Each structure stands twice: as C-alpha cells, then as structure tokens.
Amino acid sequence: MRALSRIIIAGLILATLLWLRGQFFKLHQSILALDRLSQDGGLLSNHVHSNSTNASSTAVEDPFRAVMHAISNTLLNGTIENLATPKSGLRDTRTKVVVVAKTAKEHTQWVARMLPNWKHAIYVTDDRKAPLHTARNKGREANAYLTYIIENYDNLPETIAFIHSHLSSWHNDQNAAKALQLLNIDFVQKNGYANFRCHTTPGCNPAEIQPFRNKKEQARIDKHEAATENAFAQAWTDLFNSTVVPEQIGVACCAQFAVSRDQVLKRPLSHYIWFHSWLMDTSLSDATAGRVMEYLWHIIFGQDPVYCPKVWQCFRNVYDQWDVFS
C-alpha cells in the first residue's frame, strides 16, 4: 500500500513539474517575442482603428498579455541600460527626432512607448486627415522623409532618424527601438550619416546598383533590382543636374538611417524640394521610384556612392558595440 501511495505521489509531482515546465516555456517564449514584434506595435491584442472621421484609435489589452508586455519591456530596457554608453540615443541630451513613415493601417504605438526620450514625427502616407501626412501616397518612405525635411528645414533638431513603421523586420539588425536607443549620437554628428543596418546583404555584396551592367549579367539578378538599375542613370541625371553617373552604387538596405542637422543643411532647401518634385512627378512605378531613392540617401547626405563599411566597423561606429566581429 505504501509503495502504491509513493508511486501516486511521485506521479503527481512529475505531472506538476511537467506542467510548470510548460508554463515557464510559454513565459519564456512571450518574453523572447519582444524582439520579434511585428508592426502591430507590440503585444496589444484588440485594436480599434480610426476611420475617415476624426475618431481616435484605442487599444485594449487582455490581462495576461499586459503582464507579459510589462515584463518584456522591463527586460529590453534592462538590456539597453547595460549596453548604452553616455553618447547613445538613450543618454545623450542633444535634441533628436525620429521620423516614421507609415500607412493608416500600420500601428506605431511602440514609438511613444519605447522611445520616450525622442521626439516623434509620424507621417501617414494615405490619410490626409492625419496630424502629419504626405500630400500623396507615392514614393514609399522617401515621400515622408522629404516632407519632414521640407516642412522643418529651418527648425531641425541636432539628430534626425528616419525609419519605417515596424518595430521588427528581416532587414533590421535589431529591433528599431533598441537601435535608436543605442545609436551613437557622436558618430552621427561627426560623420553626418549613419545607416541603421550593418549587415551588408542586400545592398553591398557586391554593390547593388550597377547602371551600366550588360543585359546578360542583368538577366541573372532580381527583377526589382534590374528595374531600379534600368531607371537609375536617367533618375541620377534628373536629380543631380546631369552630373556623371557612378558605375556602382552600394549601401546596406533598406532606407533607415540617421543624419545630423548640419549635414542636412549642407544642401539648400531647394534641393529637397526638387527631389520631392521628382518623386511626385516621375513616370516610374511607385516601387521603382522608392528603390531609386533608397540607394541615394547616403549620397544625398555626403557619402561616397559605395558606402559599405565592414559589419564590425559599422557596429562600433553606429552602436558603439565592440564585440561584433563578423
């Protein structure tokens, strides 16, 4: 009888341990989810979107997700606190703004929640009733970026970061909030431009855009890249007043970067107005025009046509992280 009781007790203990293991696994997965958050703005569960009227959007969290959300943010903030240096976006006190390009259906609640020490300028490209918006939904993120510069040219903060609406994506080396909080403001001010992506593919291995590539070689590359290459020489001529078109243009994708106010002001306002006019008036498709601009930002802001620092050098410069070697 005692033996049977011991077996039953042991079985109950084992079942309890297995149940607890499952619960801790779920907890662990929920915490890890922070770095994989999609563009819904976090672990918010039920969103009510604003319609064409002036109704504001609200969000409701279920209790479990609210707890996990708080734990995840605490862990991420602790990681950033440990990594951030005095010259990082988390601690540096110089004026700075993050400019976000989004559509009406994309959620950006994470910007205010996770970047409280940055000013925010969130531009909606397809809702002209939004507080900040573009005149037309054309040109992808380039439209929002240029609109911000044109509207604020005479009152720019010392550092301006331009990003997409999503917190995490395949083309981010780390989630956008972490990148902005770790951003080395000293490097941005010294170099004038800092690309948020350090890994060099796509964009740099080899240089992505080669306007004079022969047709046989071009047949082997991605169709979107080929369309951008075919459009690039004429676009360069239009945008930069017929100056010599580079043979190679390379930069790590995907049009998310920071610039200094001084670097922006090295070009007169008329240049940015012209770039924006070209973007609005070009007969190129929306995707191709946007990709052309994607491979021009680093040049617009003072860098060589091929701007492809080593991965380790980028992490040291842009994030002041010295333990990345590949």
Side-chain angles (χ1 to χ4, degrees):
M1 192 67 178
R2 288 183 178 179
L4 180 59
S5 297
R6 288 173 181 168
I7 291 172
I8 293 173
I9 292 171
L12 289 172
I13 292 173
L14 180 60
T16 302
L17 289 174
L18 289 173
W19 180 84
L20 288 172
R21 181 179 180 274
Q23 298 308 305
F24 277 112
F25 177 79
K26 291 179 181 179
L27 176 64
H28 180 62
Q29 291 301 108
S30 296
I31 292 171
L32 290 180
L34 180 64
D35 252 1
R36 303 192 301 271
L37 289 178
S38 64
Q39 63 190 29
D40 67 356
L43 295 172
L44 298 177
S45 56
N46 299 311
H47 298 278
V48 180
H49 307 300
S50 59
N51 54 25
S52 58
T53 68
N54 291 325
S56 60
S57 62
T58 60
V60 179
E61 286 182 284
D62 73 41
F64 177 76
R65 289 177 181 268
V67 171
M68 297 317 306
H69 183 183
I71 294 173
S72 299
N73 275 346
T74 298
L75 291 177
L76 177 64
N77 290 340
T79 300
I80 293 174
E81 285 281 350
N82 290 333
L83 292 173
T85 64
K87 54 194 175 184
S88 73
L90 178 66
R91 306 189 191 283
D92 192 283
T93 58
R94 284 170 283 193
T95 57
K96 50 189 178 287
V97 66
V98 54
V99 180
V100 184
K102 72 180 292 284
T103 60
K105 69 179 182 181
E106 294 172 323
H107 305 299
T108 52
Q109 295 96 328
W110 65 268
V111 178
R113 188 177 70 240
M114 302 180 75
L115 298 170
N117 56 322
W118 287 74
K119 291 184 178 179
H120 319 132
I122 300 175
Y123 279 81
V124 183
T125 60
D126 58 352
D127 180 4
R128 296 191 65 182
K129 294 183 179 180
L132 295 177
H133 59 268
T134 56
R136 295 169 58 191
N137 185 17
K138 185 179 181 184
R140 306 291 174 95
E141 70 279 334
N143 190 353
Y145 295 179
L146 288 168
T147 298
Y148 173 81
I149 292 174
I150 292 167
E151 291 181 348
N152 296 276
Y153 186 84
D154 293 323
N155 191 34
L156 295 169
E158 291 161 284
T159 300
I160 309 106
F162 297 94
I163 65 170
H164 301 166
S165 62
H166 35 251
L167 176 59
S168 294
S169 174
W170 67 266
H171 53 66
N172 289 2
D173 293 328
Q174 52 203 337
N175 78 53
K178 184 176 179 181
L180 285 160
Q181 297 292 44
L182 294 180
L183 179 65
N184 184 346
I185 303 296
D186 279 358
F187 177 73
V188 177
Q189 293 300 314
K190 178 181 178 182
N191 198 55
Y193 167 91
N195 191 353
F196 286 132
R197 182 173 173 85
C198 287
H199 290 100
T200 54
T201 301
C204 284
N205 289 323
E208 183 90 353
I209 305 300
Q210 301 179 38
F212 306 108
R213 198 194 311 252
N214 65 53
K215 297 297 181 183
K216 185 176 181 180
E217 291 176 334
Q218 195 177 82
R220 302 191 190 105
I221 67 175
D222 176 82
K223 65 179 182 179
H224 301 294
E225 181 183 343
T228 307
E229 279 193 352
N230 289 331
F232 202 90
Q234 185 59 53
W236 179 281
T237 300
D238 294 341
L239 289 163
F240 298 113
N241 196 27
S242 300
T243 52
V244 177
V245 181
E247 293 189 5
Q248 294 187 331
I249 300 92
V251 65
C253 87
C254 296
Q256 297 189 102
F257 52 89
V259 292
S260 68
R261 174 175 60 201
D262 290 345
Q263 187 65 51
V264 174
L265 296 180
K266 286 182 180 180
R267 289 185 177 275
L269 176 60
S270 60
H271 283 201
Y272 300 106
I273 293 174
W274 171 244
F275 298 154
H276 188 261
S277 295
W278 176 86
L279 190 65
M280 294 299 98
D281 296 339
T282 181
S283 60
L284 296 174
S285 71
D286 188 54
T288 300
R291 280 178 59 85
V292 167
M293 291 302 301
E294 177 181 341
Y295 286 92
L296 287 177
W297 292 116
H298 65 292
I299 300 171
I300 288 171
F301 295 121
Q303 308 307 310
D304 292 334
V306 176
Y307 183 79
C308 296
K310 300 292 185 183
V311 174
W312 62 266
Q313 188 67 58
C314 175
F315 272 99
R316 289 184 183 184
N317 288 340
V318 178
Y319 301 112
D320 204 24
Q321 294 182 359
W322 292 70
D323 57 350
V324 179
F325 302 102
S326 60

